[in-house]
Amino acid sequence: MTDETKGGKPAKGPFDSDSATAQGVARGLTNYGDKGFSLFLRKAFIKGAGLSDDALARPIIGIVNTGSSYNPCHGNAPQLIEAVKRGVMLAGGLPMDFPTISVHESFSQPTSMYLRNLMSMDTEEMIRAQPMDAVVLIGGCDKTVPAQLMGAASAGVPAIQLVTGSMLTGSHRGERVGACTDCRRYWGRYRAEEIDAVEIADVNNQLVASVGTCSVMGTASTMACITEALGMMVAGGASAPAVTADRVRVAERTGATAVAMAASRLTPDRILTGKSIENALRVLLAIGGSTNGIVHLTAIAGRLGIDIDLAGLDRISRETPVLVDLKPSGQHYMEDFHDAGGMPALLRELRPFLHLDALTVSGRTLGEELDAAPPAFKQDVIRTAASPIYPVGGLAVLRGNLAPGGAIIKQSAANPKLMEHEGRAVVFEDAEDMALRIDDDALDVTADDILVLKRIGPTGAPGMPEAGYMPIPKKLARAGVKDMVRISDGRMSGTAAGTIVLHVTPESAIGGPLAYVQNGDRIRLSVAQREIALLVDDAELARRAAAKPITRPTAERGYRKLFLQTVTQADQGVDFDFLRAGVTNDTVPKK
Ligand code: FES
């Protein structure tokens, strides 16, 4: 009898692996048809990097590295990775960082949204392909955090989000400025010829004062805040600016938390539930968050079979006040939000609206985290429910014959005088048409008209670019016009403001009613009635549709072909249809 068969049971050799219970380096072995050999080979290769058997016996914490020279919003990634690694090792784990693609808003053609699903697939597959017991997702710039949460939700490995944090604000001739609400404001002034070429160049140097994400409540800040509300981030992890010691400490804490999550197998499906998604929707409303947050949250929830009901969203919007006074809806910047107590302070104010029993990455509930949060103090960035900056939620869901599947308006950033408005449509057939004609002095347009832009939806551009923030026609801008009603099937940056109707569903490129709007048609917007109506009778619309049949855009090959064939509409998060969960497990918000 050999040692290996003593007691009737073979003793475990150093390269034996049971795939059902495998942990650490033995997880997810490469398929060579011999598991022992696969583990033997894997260990041999990783030992080439100098790792010991002791290190390889630890729980492995993957760290997604999205640092890139093309992504200044992630410019502090090396420092954060170092801090996460420190946290992992202090807690007894083995950190392993690995790259995925990185998507920056301004360095992604045709638009970053076109690449979000690709990044989510990269994230999901590399988490699944490589051995890790938990994963730290480091993201920040607009599409990266949703992509990572979508991928992690599908991969099913314990996952925790770390954001890179917001950039610092700059100063232009004594005025505090930050990306990118002030980018748009100054560009609007330049277009209106209120400032000259020298000044706009000076502003360009000051808008982004450090690495990190946009300093207002744009999409990146919105996603950071709602990720904390989802429970997918350490408490207080959303708001620390990128270049602060607080941000580095958050990173260290994130690493340590990931090790605990690996031990307890705290998988995303236990945290991303109907309750936590509803908490995130409440926070999206209370921060006056980016309209993009709805699309991304819908996509994240869709990975776990949770549907977001737009009518329910509108209902809770009517009862959730906007409490955070940040640009573009308010005055301050993310670093002020952090100094005011950040998300724990906001969540404390929102407590009556939240599901406090929702689980978080710490293994504690949201309510337990709030009980342990630092005490409140006097500040003027996060208001109380009794003294909100806007009495009801920042977003409204519109319906009508122009948007049977819904449309969104960010009412907290809109002009109250235009929220009940009827006007004549001035139509642009696509973004190129708009670029060609919008500044033409011969354009037949007045301030009371409604600008309509077609073919910037999910398949139209493609990728649903942030072109919904149409510029005010130059001749009107010169005359002092600052806002007009604008309607499209696209998105707008979370940093933008104006009376802008977005996400018109179904989109025009697949034959939604928006495709059939013509110059001179009358359109009625009533935010009070939640209505967006094309005042053209059904028979005339049917005649126009018959005269101009529309087929879904296609492409010959590659990712673009996959995108155009499988991308869903805004009400399904613009995710690919084959990436969404096959069944609906829950619908939120509840009635
Ligand atoms: Fe990266 Fe704004 S451009 S967050």
Side-chain angles (χ1 to χ4, degrees):
M1 196 159 80
T2 66
D3 280 356
E4 286 178 341
T5 56
K6 268 181 203 161
K9 232 180 175 186
K12 271 210 149 205
F15 304 109
D16 287 343
S17 171
D18 175 352
S19 48
T21 58
Q23 295 296 297
V25 76
R27 288 174 71 106
L29 290 169
T30 311
N31 189 359
Y32 295 116
D34 176 345
K35 287 182 180 161
F37 178 67
S38 296
L39 184 54
F40 170 76
L41 207 58
R42 175 176 286 177
K43 281 188 158 181
F45 277 116
I46 200 71
K47 282 177 180 175
L51 274 77
S52 66
D53 278 317
D54 179 27
L56 293 171
R58 311 285 172 141
I60 294 181
I61 308 302
I63 304 169
V64 182
N65 179 2
T66 52
S68 159
S69 296
Y70 288 104
N71 196 341
C73 297
H74 295 193
N76 58 341
Q79 194 184 13
L80 294 183
I81 290 168
E82 185 188 315
V84 172
K85 285 184 171 178
R86 185 165 65 245
V88 169
M89 288 195 282
L90 285 170
L94 173 65
M96 301 276 281
D97 58 307
F98 63 98
T100 67
I101 59 169
S102 185
V103 178
H104 183 275
E105 200 52 36
S106 293
F107 287 90
S108 303
Q109 195 273 337
T111 175
S112 62
M113 187 65 170
Y114 177 67
L115 298 169
R116 184 201 63 181
N117 297 349
L118 181 65
M119 185 173 174
S120 83
M121 292 168 75
D122 184 1
T123 305
E124 174 184 347
E125 296 305 328
M126 295 317 289
I127 291 173
R128 191 178 284 130
Q130 302 170 130
M132 60 193 80
D133 300 298
V135 61
V136 176
L137 311 158
I138 304 182
C141 195
D142 291 11
K143 307 305 175 293
T144 59
V145 170
Q148 292 182 324
L149 291 176
M150 291 158 71
S154 297
V157 170
I160 181 168
Q161 184 78 53
L162 172 65
V163 292
T164 53
S166 60
M167 61 183 68
L168 299 181
T169 50
S171 177
H172 171 66
R173 300 184 185 177
E175 188 193 351
R176 194 179 183 200
V177 292
C180 232
T181 303
D182 298 321
C183 313
R184 296 172 201 286
R185 186 165 58 82
Y186 271 97
W187 189 249
R189 292 186 63 198
Y190 177 60
R191 279 176 55 80
E193 298 172 8
E194 292 172 13
I195 62 173
D196 61 17
V198 172
E199 181 163 2
I200 196 70
D202 284 350
V203 172
N204 192 252
N205 284 331
Q206 292 302 318
L207 288 164
V208 179
S210 74
V211 297
T213 52
C214 287
S215 53
V216 298
M217 192 52 80
T219 304
S221 303
T222 298
M223 289 311 301
C225 291
I226 67 178
T227 301
E228 188 169 333
L230 283 168
M232 288 295 291
M233 176 188 283
V234 295
S239 57
V243 295
T244 58
D246 274 355
R247 175 52 57 200
V248 178
R249 278 189 288 269
V250 167
E252 184 183 299
R253 189 152 52 100
T254 300
T257 305
V259 177
M261 293 174 75
S264 61
R265 302 208 182 199
L266 185 49
T267 46
D269 59 319
R270 294 172 58 196
I271 299 173
L272 295 171
T273 61
K275 287 182 177 177
S276 68
I277 299 285
E278 197 166 317
N279 286 344
L281 287 170
R282 290 281 187 185
V283 165
L284 174 65
L285 295 163
I287 61 179
S290 163
T291 46
N292 291 321
I294 301 173
V295 178
H296 297 320
L297 204 48
T298 302
I300 295 163
R303 294 296 183 97
L304 293 166
I306 302 167
D307 284 349
I308 292 179
D309 171 37
L310 286 179
L313 170 64
D314 190 73
R315 179 176 48 74
I316 66 169
S317 179
R318 292 172 189 264
E319 60 189 37
T320 311
V322 179
L323 300 182
V324 177
D325 188 4
L326 251 63
K327 291 187 176 198
S329 298
Q331 291 307 312
H332 297 282
Y333 295 87
M334 272 306 275
E335 55 199 88
D336 308 317
F337 179 58
H338 182 63
D339 292 345
M343 281 298 290
L346 173 68
L347 292 168
R348 186 169 35 229
E349 289 302 326
L350 287 177
R351 207 174 168 126
F353 296 104
L354 300 173
H355 297 287
L356 297 171
D357 56 341
L359 198 57
T360 74
V361 285
S362 66
R364 296 184 291 270
T365 64
L366 182 63
E368 288 168 333
E369 287 291 355
L370 290 181
D371 290 342
F377 55 89
K378 192 167 162 19
Q379 42 78 30
D380 62 355
V381 179
I382 303 166
R383 303 279 189 88
T384 64
S387 153
I389 105 157
Y390 199 80
V392 293
L395 305 172
V397 179
L398 307 172
R399 296 219 185 242
N401 66 345
L402 197 49
I408 300 288
I409 186 168
K410 186 173 181 176
Q411 54 179 333
S412 61
N415 180 346
K417 291 191 187 124
L418 289 172
M419 288 204 284
E420 305 297 315
H421 185 77
E422 184 186 316
R424 184 184 67 136
V426 175
V427 178
F428 301 98
E429 292 299 323
D430 55 30
E432 201 176 331
D433 180 35
M434 182 186 74
L436 278 175
R437 295 192 295 121
I438 190 107
D439 288 340
D440 187 340
D441 280 348
L443 181 70
D444 179 14
V445 65
T446 72
D448 290 332
D449 291 337
I450 294 180
L451 302 180
V452 174
L453 177 55
K454 302 179 185 177
R455 298 187 79 87
I456 59 164
T459 69
M464 208 179 179
E466 291 183 343
Y469 178 76
M470 288 172 247
I472 302 295
K474 208 162 189 171
K475 70 177 182 184
L476 298 182
R478 275 197 302 260
V481 176
K482 301 281 186 225
D483 194 11
M484 294 173 70
V485 176
R486 288 160 269 181
I487 300 174
S488 75
D489 44 13
R491 299 176 300 115
M492 78 171 177
S493 164
T495 62
T499 312
I500 301 175
V501 177
L502 303 155
H503 310 181
V504 168
T505 303
E507 64 172 317
S508 56
I510 62 168
L514 189 70
Y516 304 110
V517 181
Q518 294 180 353
N519 276 324
D521 288 347
R522 305 289 297 176
I523 293 177
R524 184 173 62 231
L525 167 68
S526 170
V527 177
Q529 301 297 319
R530 300 299 198 257
E531 181 191 44
I532 184 74
L534 177 62
L535 305 179
V536 174
D537 66 45
D538 291 347
E540 171 59 13
L541 283 178
R543 190 195 63 72
R544 292 180 190 177
K548 189 176 140 192
I550 288 172
T551 53
R552 188 182 174 104
T554 56
E556 279 295 305
R557 59 169 296 283
Y559 178 68
R560 196 177 181 102
K561 181 173 183 176
L562 176 75
F563 187 98
L564 290 174
Q565 282 180 342
T566 63
V567 75
T568 57
Q569 294 289 289
D571 57 353
Q572 295 203 308
V574 196
D575 201 0
F576 294 154
D577 55 11
F578 63 91
L579 293 175
R580 288 168 55 81
V583 291
T584 299
N585 302 314
D586 202 356
T587 301
V588 295
K590 299 279 183 223
K591 296 257 185 295

